[in-house]
Amino acid sequence: MVRAVPGPVSGARVARRIATAAAYGGGGAGLLGGAAVGLLMAQARLARRRVGGSDDVPPPADGVYGTAVASAGPGAQATPLRLAVLGDSTAAGQGVHRPRQTPGALLAAGLAAVAERPVRLRNVAVSGACSDDLDRQVSRLLGNGGIDGDGAPDVCVVMIGANDVTHRVPPAVSVRLLGNAVARLRAAGCEVVVGTCPDLGTVEPVAQPLRWLARRMSRRLAAAQTVAVVERGGWTVSLGDLLGPEFEANPRELFGPDNYHPSAEGYATAAMAFLPTLCAALGLWPEGPEEDGCPGGHGAARREEALPVAAAAVAAAGEGGTEVSGTHGPLALLRRRLRRRLPAAGVIAVAERPGAPEPAGAG
């Protein structure tokens, strides 16, 4: 008997079930049986031996970006926008050695260029963090007057989920913790953009069937995260498929020396997918027919759909760079923004303009 492969409908049901269990305090449906978990753990131990460890501390990148860009525009005297980054090692920038190569610095520089206004960056992400650390990170941002005493951030970027999968955190627990963090930030007046769980099936040393299982678990968590975030007024960007085909095709370019964290070009690729949504959350990104250079609006129309929240979440989990936002009753808006892959050197050059901090000893 041939069993049908689960499609978008069943995937949406799983995402909704996990998100519902999170809302009501349940542990969530188990994704794998005991035998499969045993196999997964055995192969994970083998994979760890092949993945080079990295004890490097991510470079500090806090500071004000875009002062040179702003000085030539109408935002020269404006109060800096406040951008905060929360999450795990990917959010912190593990794997690169210069502050300007971290995703926070790249996003701050890009946001400053679009807004023509300085951007103050505060990164509280911690390498190795699971979703249970988000409450502490949010408290750091909102306590003592916010960022440098200027109040809560205008917009927060959260990247979390990979460690929840590898540490076998129940999906509903992981989603509940993320949802609580988003709710706290929204209550403080912050816009929130969440990069959902990346596709762990792209890690080069991981063999089958571990690769397939890791991909399945990652995508299910990403879809459930999207449901929880969007229903709390946040935005999501799918990192799974974005860091999938491109990482598989260019592992030496897009993975760092430890074969696990992104390289400078890998972070630049992710930042370019994130930037339109980050700007849109602040009302700074052009919407409509001319967005992404599609005159007449025909391309834009094909890239935008209103779908049930869970269905939009599953579709986004399988297509990198896809944005989900704004519930309208039971519907969410799914945008497939046009992505242009830019060389790391070109993207990083934005963060090298005067005003971008480069602490002494950064290399």
Side-chain angles (χ1 to χ4, degrees), residues 20 31 88 129 137 199 336 355:
T20 301
L31 297 182
D88 55 23
Q137 294 181 29
D199 185 353
R336 298 175 176 89

Side-chain angles (χ1 to χ4, degrees), residues 280-308:
L282 293 169
L284 299 172
W285 196 256
E287 304 290 353
E290 302 304 319
E291 182 194 2
D292 294 328
C294 296
H298 301 296
R302 287 196 300 270
R303 295 197 305 275
E304 189 173 290
E305 298 179 77
L307 296 171

Side-chain angles (χ1 to χ4, degrees), residues 26 42 65 91 117 140 146 158 177 214 218 227 244 277 281 314 363:
Y65 289 75
R117 179 175 169 185
R140 283 190 64 192
V158 184
L177 293 166
S218 303
V227 173
T277 303
V314 171

Side-chain angles (χ1 to χ4, degrees), residues 60-66 98-100 105 108 119 121 351-360 362:
D62 288 6
V64 178
Y65 289 75
R98 294 180 180 273
R100 61 177 178 258
V119 173
L121 172 66
E352 290 179 329
R353 291 175 178 171
E358 181 74 274

Side-chain angles (χ1 to χ4, degrees), residues 9-261:
V9 174
S10 62
R13 288 172 181 161
V14 171
R16 170 60 69 187
R17 189 164 68 244
I18 293 172
T20 301
Y24 289 96
L31 297 182
L32 300 172
V37 169
L39 174 62
L40 181 66
M41 293 301 104
Q43 285 207 322
R45 285 192 291 271
L46 291 174
R48 286 193 194 103
R49 296 191 188 117
R50 298 176 61 192
V51 174
S54 175
D55 296 325
D56 292 342
V57 176
D62 288 6
V64 178
Y65 289 75
T67 54
V69 175
S71 65
Q77 304 302 319
T79 302
L81 286 168
R82 299 179 298 273
L83 167 65
V85 178
L86 307 85
D88 55 23
S89 56
T90 303
Q94 186 86 25
V96 295
H97 301 289
R98 294 180 180 273
R100 61 177 178 258
Q101 296 172 330
T102 63
L106 292 167
L107 290 173
L111 179 58
V114 173
E116 296 185 338
R117 179 175 169 185
V119 173
R120 184 180 300 278
L121 172 66
R122 175 80 182 280
N123 194 321
V124 296
V126 176
S127 295
C130 294
S131 294
D132 61 3
D133 193 53
L134 288 177
D135 184 65
R136 184 192 62 81
Q137 294 181 29
V138 171
S139 295
R140 283 190 64 192
L141 282 178
L142 300 183
N144 299 320
I147 296 181
D148 294 336
D150 291 334
D154 295 298
V155 62
C156 295
V157 168
V158 184
M159 299 182 190
I160 201 76
N163 293 322
D164 294 74
V165 173
T166 60
H167 288 74
R168 298 173 60 190
V169 177
V173 173
S174 175
V175 171
R176 181 169 66 252
L177 293 166
L178 173 60
N180 290 344
V182 173
R184 286 185 64 193
L185 292 169
R186 293 289 296 139
C190 309
E191 297 293 341
V192 182
V193 181
V194 175
T196 54
C197 182
D199 185 353
L200 295 179
T202 63
V203 179
E204 192 183 21
V206 176
Q208 297 289 11
L210 176 60
R211 183 184 295 269
W212 178 85
L213 292 172
R215 174 162 292 155
R216 183 184 183 207
M217 294 169 72
S218 303
R219 288 190 176 184
R220 283 190 171 182
L221 178 57
Q225 287 177 321
T226 297
V227 173
V229 170
V230 171
E231 289 185 342
R232 287 163 177 79
W235 305 58
T236 64
V237 176
S238 170
L239 297 181
D241 192 57
L242 170 73
L243 306 183
E246 293 178 6
F247 271 45
E248 289 175 344
N250 304 283
R252 300 306 177 199
E253 294 179 25
L254 298 178
F255 279 118
D258 62 3
N259 291 328
Y260 185 81
H261 292 97

